[in-house]
Amino acid sequence: MDTPVIFHLGPLPISRTVVTTWALLVALGLTGFLGTRRMTDTPGPWQSALEGIVCAIDDAVRSMLPESPAGLADWIGTLWIFLVAANLTGIVPGLSSPTDDLSLTTALALLVFLSVHAFGIRSAGLWAHLRHYAQPSLILLPFHIIGELTRTVSLAMRLFGNIMSLEIAALLVLLVGGLLVPVPLLLLHIVEALVQAYIFGMLALVYIAGAIQSRRTAASAIP
């Protein structure tokens, strides 16, 4: 979906998606900074909520990968929190979710693609990581590469398609039925936004966990 250009930074056009994403990053950064400034041994409601979110993310990562490497929970948690905020932006009047732009979902999918290889290399080494693509036979190398590319494309398209379709449906119902009719659809949007954020982050976790486990197996097989 084409998004309007807000301004130009030199020759570089800055679209509405970029501006909204920057605003979300600043808002989330400030929320995290202000929310963790005064941590105490006796947590209040705000600190308890933050600790609950962190524990839930850590439990989800450890349920998939008990011996999770350092930084994995941080990465998956950051992805989940950003996606929840980005997907829910569309319910604010006058705004739209940045994830209804294919360029952003593609960038997120590419980050997941790079993180899969980064964690795979870090867990077993570069040689074991590369050797995995030639197992059990070198003939399968092209198919492994195609599989890596296609799942990255599907990750981007799935999030983009679901969020864009929700926003288009809400707009059409609003135009046809008036202001009160889209309320149930708005609730559906909230649920779907949370579900899509969870699915995207969980798929990223599954891909990374698979890369770590398979690379470790390949490393142990190296004589």
Side-chain angles (χ1 to χ4, degrees):
M1 177 181 291
D2 293 331
T3 56
V5 174
I6 305 300
F7 64 93
H8 284 77
L9 193 62
L12 185 65
I14 304 300
S15 68
R16 181 193 62 196
T17 299
V18 176
V19 173
T20 306
T21 302
W22 286 349
L24 283 174
L25 294 177
V26 171
L28 291 173
L30 286 175
T31 302
F33 174 72
L34 296 175
T36 56
R37 285 182 64 193
R38 299 178 180 177
M39 306 292 283
T40 63
D41 294 333
T42 306
W46 177 248
Q47 183 177 333
S48 298
L50 291 178
E51 290 179 357
I53 293 172
V54 172
C55 290
I57 293 171
D58 189 64
D59 290 343
V61 172
R62 291 188 182 278
S63 67
M64 184 65 63
L65 196 65
E67 298 179 0
S68 60
L72 179 57
D74 299 335
W75 163 232
I76 297 299
T78 301
L79 196 59
W80 265 329
I81 292 171
F82 172 77
L83 283 173
V84 167
N87 291 350
L88 290 177
T89 304
I91 68 175
V92 179
L95 297 179
S96 63
S97 301
T99 43
D100 73 351
D101 189 335
L102 186 57
S103 61
L104 179 65
T105 59
T106 300
L108 291 173
L110 288 175
L111 287 176
V112 172
F113 173 83
L114 293 175
S115 67
V116 168
H117 296 287
F119 281 106
I121 292 171
R122 198 175 76 179
S123 65
L126 179 61
W127 172 240
H129 179 75
L130 297 177
R131 188 172 185 264
H132 163 76
Y133 290 100
Q135 290 182 339
S137 171
L138 187 62
I139 298 175
L140 296 178
L141 176 62
F143 298 99
H144 282 301
I145 295 175
I146 292 172
E148 291 282 343
L149 296 176
T150 53
R151 77 181 185 185
T152 302
V153 173
S154 67
L155 199 61
M157 294 299 297
R158 181 186 296 109
L159 180 60
F160 162 71
N162 281 287
I163 299 301
M164 184 188 67
S165 62
L166 273 176
E167 296 205 340
I168 291 177
L171 178 61
L172 290 176
V173 173
L174 177 63
L175 292 175
V176 173
L179 292 175
L180 296 180
V181 176
V183 172
L185 193 62
L186 182 64
L187 298 176
L188 176 62
H189 189 135
I190 294 174
V191 173
E192 184 68 13
L194 297 176
V195 169
Q196 290 304 318
Y198 177 79
I199 291 175
F200 191 99
M202 186 55 70
L203 286 175
L205 179 58
V206 168
Y207 297 157
I208 294 172
I212 291 174
Q213 292 171 346
S214 62
R215 274 50 163 190
R216 285 175 179 172
T217 303
S220 63
I222 296 177

